[in-house]
Amino acid sequence: MNIRILALQQFSALCKSTQPVHSQLYTQLSWFSLLEQCVFTPDKINTFYITVFEDEHPLLTLPMINSGEHVELQQSRNLSAASNYYSTYYDLIEFQSDNDIECLLSHIFLYLRNNLKLKTITLSPLLHHSKHEFAFISALKKSGFMTFPYFMFGN
């Protein structure tokens, strides 16, 4: 598998001809496009689409923001899920259904930990008992992050 990881700064940088495999509202590209246009405007918060590619095809993306910091990704030490009060849950955007999600997430988290020296990653509201919840937790642990689940009231 020839993979590379890119931190794209704009929604438009994702391949528009490729569509995600799920159709839930909060994992559609259009949802993140609206968040980027209306909530996470570049003058306030930087949005990053941490994307795993195989050759030129995106496999999955984690939409993330600098946790209240307006700095470049290389200077950030804290990333959060690109979500807000209207987001019922947060999940990755999957472009192919036959991927080893845990393995790809491990590559992303190792990249973030080793290359960017991140201190924290906050993934909320992560859907409890979702098909990707275990993959997130396991990949974070394998990448050297400690995980702390906590209860949070949803909408």
Side-chain angles (χ1 to χ4, degrees), residues 2-15:
N2 180 22
I3 67 166
R4 65 189 169 108
I5 299 170
L6 294 176
L8 308 171
Q9 281 200 267
Q10 294 182 334
F11 167 77
S12 58
L14 275 175
C15 179

Side-chain angles (χ1 to χ4, degrees), residues 64 67 77-80 117-122 145:
M64 306 292 288
S67 306
R77 296 297 169 252
N78 307 296
L79 287 181
S80 294
K117 309 295 186 214
L118 280 183
K119 292 180 182 177
T120 63
I121 299 173
T122 304
F145 286 99

Side-chain angles (χ1 to χ4, degrees), residues 20 22-29 31-32 89 91-93:
H22 355 50
S23 60
Q24 293 93 351
L25 174 63
Y26 301 108
T27 57
Q28 288 182 4
L29 294 175
W31 174 254
F32 293 103
Y89 62 89
D91 204 354
L92 56 89
I93 300 174

